[in-house]
Amino acid sequence: MPESRRVAVLGGGIAGLTAAMELAERGYDVTVYEANDRVGGKARSMPVDDDAGDDGLLGEHGFRFFPAYYTNVVETMERIPDGDGRSVADHLVPTTETLIANTDGEGAVASTERPSTPREWLDALQPQIAGGEVPRRELAHFVSRLAVLLTSCDERREQEFEQQSWWEFIDADEMSPAYRKHLAQSTQSLVALRPEKGSARTVGTIYLQLLLGQLDPNAPAERVLDGPTSEVWLDPWHEYLDAQGVDVRLESPVTAIHSDGHRVTGVEVDGETVTADQYVAALPVDVLPELLTPELRRAARSLSGVERVETAWMNGVQFYLDRDIEVVGGHAVYVDSPWAITSVSQRQFWADHDLEARSDGDVEGVLSVIASDWDTPGVLYDKPGRECTREEAVEEIWAQVQAHLGEDTLPDDARVSHFLDPELSETPEGLRNDSPLVINTVDSLRNRPDPDTEAPNLAVAGDYARVDTDLATMEAASEAGRRAANAVLDATGAAAPRVEVWGLEEPRAFEPLKRQDRLRFRLGLPHPGEVGHDAWQLSRRLRP
Ligand SMILES: Cc1cc2nc3c(=O)[nH]c(=O)nc-3n(C[C@H](O)[C@H](O)[C@H](O)COP(=O)(O)OP(=O)(O)OC[C@H]3O[C@@H](n4cnc5c(N)ncnc54)[C@H](O)[C@@H]3O)c2cc1C
C-alpha cells in the first residue's frame, strides 16, 4: 500500500463511516477514531439496560425517517450487506399515513402512499399543508411564495433568501393563527429549527423537497427502518467496514489535532500522537471548535466559521408499553404541543424485533417520541425542557402526547418503562445536552465549511458541512462524507473514479424560469414574483 494512502477519519457517525467506506473501497488504508463504544453517532441505538446489552431493549436519540428525496444515504445502504442475503436498504419500509393531531379535535390523517390520481395527491396534501383550517386566500399566498422559491436561481436563494427567515418570507406575521400554526411553525416538528430563525433558503428548499416527494408517483413519500437503527443498519455497516479492512477504533476520542499552520501533522488519541497522510474530520459541530488551534485555523481558514454555526435541541424518549398502540401508520405530529412533539409507534414497522423476548414478556409496544422545542414552557410544570429534570422532561412529553391522543388511546397504565436520550444530563441549572443539532439560521451558510478545506490533507464531513442537502440530516452527513472522500481522492491524485454525489433535485420544468431569474439577478432586478409581493406588503402596511 503506497504511504500516501493512509487516512485517519475522526468520528464514526454517518458522515465518517461514509467517507471511510468510499475510501476503503478504493484501496485506502483507513482508520476510524470514534469516541463512543459503538458507531453511528446521533443515529445509533443503545442498550436500555447495560446488563442485558444488545439482547435487551434498545433505545435511540429518536426515530429515523427517510423522506423520498434521500439519495446518497440510501445508495450507501444499498451497498451494505445485512448478513442475511439482502442489503440494509431492504430494511426501509414505506409509511402509509401521517397524523396531524390537535388537542381540540380529532386531527387529520394524510396518506403518505404513492398517489395514483391528482385527486389522491390533493387529498394527501390537504391536511399536511393546511390542516383544513387555513383560509383559502392565505393558502394561495403561501403557494405563491413557494412558486417564487421554486423559480428562483441558486444565486438569489443564496444571497437574498439566505438573508431572511422563513417566517418573514411567507409573511407569517400578516396571517391568521391557523396559517402560522400549520404552514409556518409546522417545520419545527421536522427539525429543531424555529421558522423565525431558519433561513428562508433552507426551510423553503427542504419544504419543497418534502412536497415534491408527496407528488412523486414513483417513490414512497417517506420510509422508516424495520428495526432499531444499529440492529438493521449500523452494526452490519461496521461489519462491512471490518471486511473492507477499515480499522474502527471505538472508545478512542481525538483530543487534539496538530498542525504546522499549513497541513495537519497528527492527531492525539489516548495520549499518543497518531499520524496519517490524509485526515477527515467527521466530528460533531460542537466538538470541532474545541480542537481548533491557531495553527489549524491558519491551515484551514474556513473552519473558524464552525464556531458560529448555531445548534438547538432535538431529543427523544421511547415509551415501552405493555400493549401495542399503533396511533397511525407513520408519523404523528402534535401541532398544539409547546415542545414541538412528533412520534412514531415502532412495533408496526419493527418486523423481526421481538420486544416481548427482550423484556421478559413485559413490553409489546414502543412509542418513540421526539421533542424539538426545549425553550417553550410545557403544560405540566410550566417551564421549558432545558429547566426540567430528566424525569420532569419525560412526564412533560408524555402529558403533551396524551393531551392530543386522549387518555383512552394512551392510558397511563400502558407504560412499563422509558428511555430518555442519555445525552441529556442534569446540572444545578437544569438539563445539559451533549448532542445538540445544527440549525441553519439566517445568514449562516457562510459559516459552514466546504468539505474540501484549505489545508491540503484535511477534509471535513458532517451534517454542518456546506453541501447541497441543506439541513442537518443523515442525507446531509452522507453527502458530506462522499464529498470529503472526493477531496481525499483529489488531494492524493488518485486515478480511482470519484464518488458519485447527488444534490437536491427540483423538476426540470422550472429550469427555463430559473434561467430567466438568473439573468434578472445578475442585472440587479428582483424576481418577478417579488414585484407583486412588494406591492402586496405595502398595501398591508398602509391599511388603516
Ligand atoms: C433526535 C434526533 C432525531 C433525528 N432524526 C433524523 C431523521 O429522522 N432523519 C434524518 O435524516 N436525520 C435525523 N437526525 C439528524 C441525524 O441523525 C444527524 O444529522 C446525523 O446523524 C449526523 O451525522 P454526523 O456523522 O454528521 O454526526 P454525528 O452523528 O454527531 O457523528 C459524529 C461522531 O463523532 C464522534 N465523536 C465526538 N467527539 C469525538 C472525538 N473527540 N473523537 C472522536 N470521535 C468523536 C461521535 O461520538 C459521533 O459518533 C436526527 C437527529 C436527532 C438528534
Side-chain angles (χ1 to χ4, degrees), residues 9-17 33-36 38-44 60-67 70 73 190 252-255 282-287 291 314-316 331 370-371 421 423 435-437 461-464 471-478:
V9 175
L10 323 180
I14 306 290
L17 296 186
Y33 298 97
E34 164 55 47
N36 267 316
R38 58 188 60 218
V39 297
K42 293 183 179 70
R44 74 192 191 282
E60 312 205 287
H61 295 288
F63 55 82
R64 312 264 115 207
F65 87 110
F66 296 70
Y70 283 18
V73 70
L190 293 172
S252 301
V254 174
T255 49
L283 300 161
V285 71
D286 50 319
V287 172
L291 304 180
M314 186 171 175
N315 301 78
H331 261 101
I370 293 178
D421 189 338
E423 302 284 0
S435 196
L437 198 62
D463 54 6
Y464 50 93
L471 190 70
T473 55
M474 299 183 290
E475 176 69 357
S478 173

Side-chain angles (χ1 to χ4, degrees), residues 9-199:
V9 175
L10 323 180
I14 306 290
L17 296 186
T18 302
M21 173 165 156
E22 298 297 346
L23 292 169
E25 285 179 346
R26 286 166 178 75
Y28 284 73
D29 177 11
V30 182
T31 305
V32 177
Y33 298 97
E34 164 55 47
N36 267 316
D37 63 355
R38 58 188 60 218
V39 297
K42 293 183 179 70
R44 74 192 191 282
S45 323
M46 297 152 274
V48 171
D49 171 3
D50 283 340
D51 293 338
D54 284 344
D55 294 333
L57 293 171
L58 296 177
E60 312 205 287
H61 295 288
F63 55 82
R64 312 264 115 207
F65 87 110
F66 296 70
Y69 74 87
Y70 283 18
T71 310
N72 295 286
V73 70
V74 174
E75 198 271 345
T76 296
M77 293 170 78
E78 283 166 357
R79 287 189 281 132
I80 304 169
D82 73 344
D84 231 355
R86 298 190 299 158
S87 82
V88 299
D90 292 323
H91 292 265
L92 288 170
V93 287
T95 63
T96 54
E97 302 165 315
T98 299
L99 169 69
I100 314 289
N102 300 286
T103 48
D104 54 1
E106 289 286 292
V109 174
S111 170
T112 52
E113 289 183 295
R114 296 172 205 203
S116 51
T117 62
R119 179 77 248 164
E120 279 178 20
W121 180 70
L122 280 176
D123 286 348
L125 232 45
Q126 175 69 9
Q128 306 214 34
I129 64 170
E133 294 170 27
V134 181
R136 273 180 178 277
R137 137 186 87 72
E138 293 190 358
L139 201 52
H141 183 79
F142 181 72
V143 172
S144 76
R145 299 308 289 148
L146 285 183
V148 166
L149 197 71
L150 200 50
T151 52
S152 292
C153 62
D154 289 347
E155 293 87 334
R156 192 182 297 288
R157 292 189 194 191
E158 285 188 13
Q159 289 171 46
E160 277 181 21
F161 302 156
E162 173 67 9
Q163 304 302 325
Q164 52 183 301
S165 69
W166 177 239
W167 188 266
E168 288 164 336
F169 184 78
I170 62 168
D171 302 296
D173 270 338
E174 304 287 331
M175 301 293 172
S176 64
Y179 181 97
R180 291 202 279 271
K181 178 163 112 180
H182 291 288
L183 299 176
Q185 278 147 351
S186 62
T187 55
Q188 198 172 356
S189 43
L190 293 172
V191 65
L193 184 56
R194 282 176 180 274
E196 299 90 336
K197 290 192 84 178
S199 95

